[in-house]
Amino acid sequence: HVQLVESGGGSVQAGGSLRLSCRGLRNVVMNSCVGWFRQAPGKEREGVTSIDRSGTTSYADSVKGRFNISRDNARALVRLQMTSLKPEDTALYYCAAGEGECVPNPEVFSTWGKGTQVTVS
């Protein structure tokens, strides 16, 4: 059973930074489209960013210039570096893997982690 595991969430003050990591089977993390999503209480799941196997990235307008997605080939994981965090970034953050057009659209992704909480106050 393919699993993805997120880590790195926590509580920070506005303006702070966090780095999330997404780990899974090497062939899944390194060869699939990997995306980050978030869901705040009472809101729908929102696509944040994605990275395809060639390293091409896509970002939601709300995080452009503040968040950066990258692959760590040596460790077979995908990172999400979040800076200049705002209270509205508070959510449960999920990573996911999938095939097809690599954009942060949940319909592209078939494998999901259980999420890591990010709280910005």
Side-chain angles (χ1 to χ4, degrees):
H1 180 65
V2 177
Q3 285 187 316
L4 297 173
V5 179
E6 305 91 340
S7 62
S11 297
V12 296
Q13 292 188 337
S17 300
L18 282 173
R19 189 176 71 175
L20 307 184
S21 294
C22 175
R23 295 178 182 273
L25 293 176
R26 175 173 286 273
N27 67 312
V28 172
V29 174
M30 304 310 294
N31 297 319
S32 300
C33 170
V34 177
W36 284 95
F37 297 81
R38 64 188 182 185
Q39 188 165 19
K43 295 188 177 181
E44 293 187 354
R45 189 169 296 188
E46 174 191 15
V48 175
T49 181
S50 60
I51 185 167
D52 71 10
R53 56 192 300 174
S54 69
T56 300
T57 59
S58 180
Y59 294 91
D61 288 343
S62 58
V63 305
K64 281 181 181 176
R66 301 189 298 122
F67 290 13
N68 184 69
I69 187 171
S70 62
R71 290 186 194 276
D72 184 327
N73 292 329
R75 294 176 174 80
L77 56 81
V78 172
R79 288 198 173 97
L80 178 63
Q81 179 69 50
M82 305 186 294
T83 62
S84 301
L85 283 162
K86 305 175 181 180
E88 51 263 44
D89 295 318
T90 295
L92 188 61
Y93 282 71
Y94 301 87
C95 73
E99 304 294 335
E101 183 183 11
C102 193
V103 292
N105 177 348
E107 294 181 3
V108 174
F109 298 87
S110 56
T111 301
W112 293 80
K114 294 183 179 181
T116 185
Q117 179 67 38
V118 171
T119 302
V120 185
S121 59

